[in-house]
Amino acid sequence: MAGRPRTTVSFREDSQTAFSLGVAKFAVQVVTERGVANQPKEIRTEREFIQHFGKVIHQTGEEAVRALRKGAILIINPLHKFASEATVGTKATAVITVGAETLTVTANEVGEGYNGVAIRTISPRSRKTGVVDLIVSKGSEFSETVFDVPILLDAMELISLNKKLINVSLSISATLTLTNSLTGVLGSGAKDASALLPADIIAALNAAYQDFDFGEVFHLVNLFYANFEIDAAFVALGEAKKLSVHLPLPLHVSAADAIAQREGTDSFSHQSINSMFAEYWIGQIEVRSIQDPTQIIDLHPMADIMAAIAKKDVIGQWLSASAAEYGQLDGDVLNARKFSDSELDQLYDAGINFVSRVSGFGVKLNGNNSLWRDRSQLASKRNIGDLTIYNLRWTERLGNKYINKPADIQTFREMYREALETLNDLVERRAITEFRWVGDQEADTLDDLILNDKNQVQLGNYKIENYVTPIGALEQIGIETVNTQGVGASSAVL
C-alpha cells in the first residue's frame, strides 16, 4: 500500500464456490433554461426543478420532471450552450447608465432562462432617506428585494449588496449615486441545444461528478440516448465511483441495430462495454408532454425505470427492478413500442433489457441483464452487480471508520462484530444465502495471525476477505400441468 491512509475494496468471483436504504437518488445531466453548470444540485420536486432550472425545454427535462413526479430524487447537473471546448454558456446581462457611470447586472447562473429578468429601484418602503429598495424579478418564477440599499454605492457597499442578492450580481465602473427609478432588463443569455456535442456532455459529466461526494447516491443515469461514447464515459465514471449505471438505447432503433450497437458490430466499430455495474434499456412510450399537455410525444421510459428502481431500493438496492411489484409502469403511459417475440428473445440474449407490454401486467420493465460479456457468470445478472456495489460501499465505509485506530486484535474483533450486523441483515433481506468473513479476529496475539503478516500489521496494513453467496433473480420457470385420474403418485395419466 502507498499514499494516504485509506480503505481499499475490491471484488472477485470465486469459481469454486449496510449503509441506510431509502428513496433512490439518481445523478443525471439535464438541458435546462438556467442553473449553475458543474455544480450538481439535489432536486426532489417538480416545483424545485422549475425554481432552480426554469421550464422544461428538452427531452432530458421531460424525463427528469417525469421521474420527480414519480418519487425519484435527482442530483442534476444543468447543461446549457455548448462549444467543442465544453464552455457552458453565456450569462444574461444588462447595463444601466447612471449619469456618467454604468451599473452592470449579470445573472449568477448561465442559460437563456435569465433573459427578461428585470431589475429596478423604487422609493424605500421604510421611508428612510439616502436609500432605495432594489427589486429583481422574472414574472412568477422568482422575485427578490433588497431593502434600504444606500444611494451612494461604492466598492464596499457593492460587496455587501451582492451578498444579499441571489439571482444576479452587480458591478460598477466607479462610485455612483443610485436613484429610485433605475430599470434594466437582462438579455443575451443564449443557449443552443442543437450545439450539444458528445464531447461537451462527457466533459460536463466529468467536471461535475469526478470530485462529487456521492454519499448515498447509488445510481448514475444517462438521459442522452444517441451516442456510444457518452455511454462509455458514464460507465467509466460509474465503475470509478461504485455507481449503478443505467443507459438508454436510441428511440426508434431496430432490435438488430440495438444489438449491433451493444456488440460494436456491423456499422459500429467500437469495443463493446464489459461491466457488471451497467445495463442497457430499449423501449419507447407515448405520454403527454410536460411542456404542452395537449401534445403526445414519444419518450424513452428512463423516468419510469428510475421510478421502478426508487420503489425497489426502499427494500433492497440489490433487487431486480423488473419484478412485478416494482416494474409495472403507471397508467399515464398511453402506449408502448411493440416488439415481436423473436426480437425480445434476441435482445435479451444480447444482454439488453427492454420495456414492453406483458400479458396480465400491462407495460413493464423486463430484464436482469448487466453489460458483463460472459453470460455464464453471475456478474452478467444486474441485481448481482448492484449487490456487489452495495458490498463494496459498506465495507469501504466500515474500513474507513477504523482508519487510524490501533492495529491490534481488539480492533479486528470490533470490525468483525460490526460487519456481522450488515452481513446477517443481507441474509434476512434475501440478498445472500451465506457469508464468510475471513480476517484475524480469532487470533489471541499478533503472533497467531493466519491471513495477515505480523510485520505488515505492525506497519498499519490489515486485510480481510469477505465471501458471500449472492441470490440471483428467477428468469426461467417451467411448470408442467399433468391431467390424471387422481392426485396420488400412482394415478394413471389420462
Side-chain angles (χ1 to χ4, degrees):
M1 294 184 181
R4 58 184 168 80
R6 72 187 71 189
T7 299
T8 302
V9 294
S10 59
F11 162 77
R12 74 171 190 269
E13 283 207 34
D14 185 348
S15 59
Q16 303 177 33
T17 60
F19 46 88
S20 64
L21 299 175
V23 177
K25 296 182 179 181
F26 303 85
V28 297
Q29 298 200 113
V30 180
V31 177
T32 64
E33 273 201 307
R34 59 175 186 267
V36 181
N38 300 333
Q39 293 185 28
K41 187 172 188 62
E42 181 174 307
I43 301 294
R44 292 174 174 262
T45 66
E46 181 179 356
R47 182 177 180 180
E48 284 186 355
F49 180 94
I50 294 171
Q51 177 185 354
H52 292 286
F53 302 123
K55 64 185 179 182
V56 174
I57 62 171
H58 188 260
Q59 59 87 11
T60 56
E62 292 271 0
E63 294 190 26
V65 171
R66 186 171 171 82
L68 290 169
R69 287 179 175 181
K70 295 172 180 289
I73 298 174
L74 305 184
I75 313 299
I76 296 177
N77 181 41
L79 307 178
H80 310 285
K81 180 179 170 65
F82 288 80
S84 59
E85 65 272 17
T87 56
V88 292
T90 307
K91 292 182 177 180
T93 60
V95 178
I96 303 172
T97 300
V98 185
E101 308 300 336
T102 57
L103 173 67
T104 302
V105 187
T106 305
N108 283 336
E109 302 175 3
V110 295
E112 67 179 358
Y114 283 88
N115 292 348
V117 172
I119 180 170
R120 59 194 174 103
T121 57
I122 62 174
S123 298
R125 188 173 67 176
S126 66
R127 299 185 180 180
K128 294 179 181 178
T129 59
V131 297
V132 294
D133 290 348
L134 186 147
I135 301 173
V136 178
S137 62
K138 184 184 181 186
S140 59
E141 290 187 43
F142 54 77
S143 179
E144 56 178 319
T145 302
V146 180
F147 298 103
D148 297 338
V149 177
I151 286 177
L152 186 62
L153 197 60
D154 59 18
M156 293 302 296
E157 291 291 351
L158 186 69
I159 292 173
S160 176
L161 177 56
N162 279 329
K163 288 181 178 178
K164 298 174 183 177
L165 290 167
I166 298 173
N167 294 288
V168 299
S169 295
L170 309 181
S171 60
I172 54 178
S173 54
T175 300
L176 55 79
T177 302
L178 300 173
T179 68
N180 61 5
S181 59
L182 297 178
T183 60
V185 178
L186 275 64
S188 73
K191 174 190 61 61
D192 182 5
S194 66
L196 199 62
L197 303 176
D200 302 321
I201 297 171
I202 294 169
L205 175 75
N206 291 327
Y209 289 118
Q210 281 291 353
D211 296 323
F212 182 75
D213 181 6
F214 284 94
E216 294 187 3
V217 179
F218 197 81
H219 304 276
L220 180 65
V221 179
N222 178 17
L223 297 182
F224 299 89
Y225 42 77
N227 187 275
F228 179 82
E229 294 173 88
I230 300 173
D231 290 341
F234 271 77
V235 173
L237 180 63
E239 291 196 330
K241 300 294 184 179
K242 306 178 190 69
L243 296 166
S244 182
V245 183
H246 311 277
L247 307 170
L249 283 159
L251 292 179
H252 309 293
V253 67
S254 69
D257 284 346
I259 294 169
Q261 178 168 330
R262 191 273 174 272
E263 301 288 348
T265 56
D266 297 340
S267 60
F268 298 93
S269 58
H270 56 255
Q271 185 172 355
S272 59
I273 295 172
N274 185 37
S275 175
M276 68 183 300
F277 293 171
E279 64 182 346
Y280 262 138
W281 285 97
I282 189 172
Q284 180 179 314
I285 56 177
E286 287 185 1
V287 297
R288 293 195 180 277
S289 171
I290 292 170
Q291 301 177 60
D292 180 1
T294 65
Q295 297 294 317
I296 295 174
I297 61 172
D298 290 336
L299 201 64
H300 195 282
M302 190 53 72
D304 300 79
I305 292 168
M306 285 191 274
I309 293 169
K311 293 176 186 176
K312 64 93 176 173
D313 272 11
V314 174
I315 301 171
Q317 286 168 314
W318 48 85
L319 297 173
S320 170
S322 293
E325 59 266 43
Y326 319 121
Q328 288 179 258
L329 273 60
D330 292 339
D332 62 347
V333 175
L334 304 177
N335 204 349
R337 178 177 175 180
K338 293 182 174 65
F339 296 93
S340 68
D341 288 343
S342 62
E343 285 177 328
L344 294 179
D345 287 340
Q346 291 166 13
L347 288 167
Y348 204 78
D349 288 344
I352 298 172
N353 303 316
F354 50 87
V355 173
S356 66
R357 190 174 297 278
V358 176
S359 178
F361 293 97
V363 180
K364 73 177 292 292
L365 278 58
N366 296 272
N368 189 40
N369 290 313
S370 79
L371 294 184
W372 191 258
R373 298 295 305 150
D374 188 343
R375 311 299 300 163
S376 68
Q377 293 188 5
L378 279 174
S380 68
K381 306 305 179 185
R382 193 66 188 90
N383 76 306
I384 304 300
D386 280 351
L387 174 63
T388 303
I389 296 172
Y390 187 87
N391 280 327
L392 291 173
R393 283 189 166 207
W394 77 258
T395 52
E396 181 179 34
R397 184 170 299 189
L398 173 68
N400 286 339
K401 182 177 177 180
Y402 286 90
I403 289 291
N404 292 323
K405 295 283 185 72
D408 60 10
I409 304 300
Q410 179 178 332
T411 295
F412 305 159
R413 290 173 180 172
E414 289 174 0
M415 290 181 65
Y416 172 65
R417 285 193 293 268
E418 192 166 342
L420 281 183
E421 294 181 13
T422 300
L423 290 166
N424 284 323
D425 180 67
L426 288 174
V427 173
E428 288 186 18
R429 289 176 178 269
R430 301 165 71 190
I432 60 176
T433 56
E434 58 185 348
F435 62 85
R436 186 160 59 97
W437 183 270
V438 180
D440 280 306
Q441 67 276 358
E442 302 297 333
D444 293 321
T445 70
L446 294 185
D447 292 322
D448 303 323
L449 300 178
I450 297 176
L451 181 65
N452 288 272
D453 177 77
K454 178 180 178 179
N455 291 331
Q456 286 298 311
V457 169
Q458 288 177 324
L459 289 171
N461 302 319
Y462 179 62
K463 65 180 180 180
I464 302 162
E465 293 178 350
N466 178 32
Y467 294 84
V468 296
T469 304
I471 297 176
L474 280 173
E475 294 188 15
Q476 302 289 336
I477 300 175
I479 302 176
E480 182 179 18
T481 299
V482 181
N483 293 330
T484 73
Q485 294 178 333
V487 296
S490 61
S491 299
V493 177
L494 293 174

